Amino acid sequence: QVQLVESGGGLVQAGGSLRLSCTASGSFLSINAMGWYRQAPGKRRELVADIPSAGSTNYADSVKGRFTISRDNAKNTVYLQMNSLKPEDTAVYYCNVWVKGPTTFFDSWGQGTQVTVSS
């Protein structure tokens, strides 16, 4: 079982910045991919960015050049630095983590953190 604790959401004006954090804890052998998704009211949940245990990061076209995903493996933590925020970035942001358990791989979701960008 994996517990994910997210932090860093809030209210910011357009053009501002926020940094989200998500820390994983629990029973697992290793962490593979880590990522951030978001869901705006009335819309489907969408991938914002993800970062594998090794290899290149991946970003949604709408956030390329503005958001940066990174991870600290020693702390089991993934970050999302969000700059030049726009009102259309307003959503609940969810952390997603894939881990290796004793017998299989599985993923877990954070509880979500609200990001609101005012115009």
Side-chain angles (χ1 to χ4, degrees):
Q1 194 168 1
V2 179
Q3 293 79 44
L4 299 177
V5 177
E6 302 172 5
S7 62
L11 173 64
V12 64
Q13 288 187 332
S17 299
L18 286 173
R19 188 192 195 206
L20 306 183
S21 300
C22 172
T23 299
S25 62
S27 301
F28 50 87
L29 299 178
S30 62
I31 297 177
N32 287 22
M34 308 180 83
W36 290 95
Y37 290 71
R38 68 186 181 187
Q39 188 167 19
K43 295 187 177 182
R44 300 177 67 175
R45 189 173 297 188
E46 63 176 0
L47 174 69
V48 177
D50 60 21
I51 180 168
S53 55
S56 301
T57 54
N58 179 46
Y59 294 93
D61 288 342
S62 59
V63 307
K64 284 181 181 177
R66 301 187 297 121
F67 291 10
T68 302
I69 190 170
S70 61
R71 60 191 285 172
D72 184 335
N73 292 327
K75 296 181 179 179
N76 292 339
T77 298
V78 61
Y79 305 96
L80 185 68
Q81 178 66 44
M82 305 184 293
N83 299 328
S84 302
L85 281 160
K86 303 176 181 180
E88 51 263 44
D89 295 318
T90 295
V92 178
Y93 284 69
Y94 297 91
C95 172
N96 177 261
V97 173
W98 280 88
V99 302
K100 183 178 180 181
T103 59
T104 188
F105 292 91
F106 60 94
D107 74 324
S108 292
W109 291 90
Q111 78 282 4
T113 185
Q114 177 70 46
V115 171
T116 302
V117 184
S118 63
S119 58

